[in-house]
Amino acid sequence: MASHKVEIKVNSANKLEYLLDGAAHPSGASFHVNPGDDVRWFSKAEKFGIHFADNHSPFVGDTFLTTAEKSTSDTGSGHKPTPPLGVRTHVFDTTYKYFVASAKTSGPKHVVTDDPEIIVDGTGGGGP
């Protein structure tokens, strides 16, 4: 089992981009995780929410909605990131679509959205 950290960022073009375990991924990116992995989202700059389509997710307890305040780090100092969400061990080769909304709280205030997906498979985690 691996623990994945996904940082949500709003770029200069007002598009969401992600750092998955430190590796950059563009807006709309697919993330690969393994059954039994943990995933934690955070943002150092913005408040955000994540909602899985059809109220169905790959996580234990079928957690389909999570939100968090901005964090000063991925470990929860300052405001807390999302709690680590454990991927169920019985899902495999399944794609889960979700929606990310990040509320800009500095400068012109507005919401930036994206529609990425998590793919649960045996590739060891990472990007496309």
Side-chain angles (χ1 to χ4, degrees), residues 34-110:
N34 290 324
D37 285 359
D38 288 333
V39 179
R40 178 184 298 235
W41 284 270
F42 70 100
S43 175
K44 293 179 181 174
E46 315 298 340
K47 296 178 181 182
F48 66 93
I50 295 170
H51 186 273
F52 278 81
D54 302 322
N55 297 338
H56 184 64
S57 81
F59 301 112
V60 173
D62 211 23
T63 301
F64 65 88
L65 176 65
T66 190
T67 62
E69 298 283 330
K70 63 183 178 181
S71 303
T72 54
S73 77
D74 61 6
T75 59
S77 62
H79 296 291
K80 293 191 174 201
T82 64
L85 299 173
V87 177
R88 292 188 303 258
T89 58
H90 66 276
V91 294
F92 201 82
D93 291 335
T94 305
T95 298
Y96 295 86
K97 295 189 178 294
Y98 65 102
F99 173 83
V100 178
S102 179
K104 282 188 66 86
T105 57
S106 60
K109 294 177 175 60
H110 62 281

Side-chain angles (χ1 to χ4, degrees), residues 109-124:
K109 294 177 175 60
H110 62 281
V111 175
V112 181
T113 63
D114 191 27
D115 295 309
E117 57 189 22
I118 287 182
I119 301 169
V120 181
D121 57 18
T123 64

Side-chain angles (χ1 to χ4, degrees), residues 8-18 25-28 45-46 102 104 110 112:
I8 299 169
K9 298 177 130 190
V10 178
N11 66 23
S12 60
N14 281 323
K15 299 267 187 194
L16 290 179
E17 55 188 31
Y18 309 91
H25 297 278
S27 183
E46 315 298 340
S102 179
K104 282 188 66 86
H110 62 281
V112 181

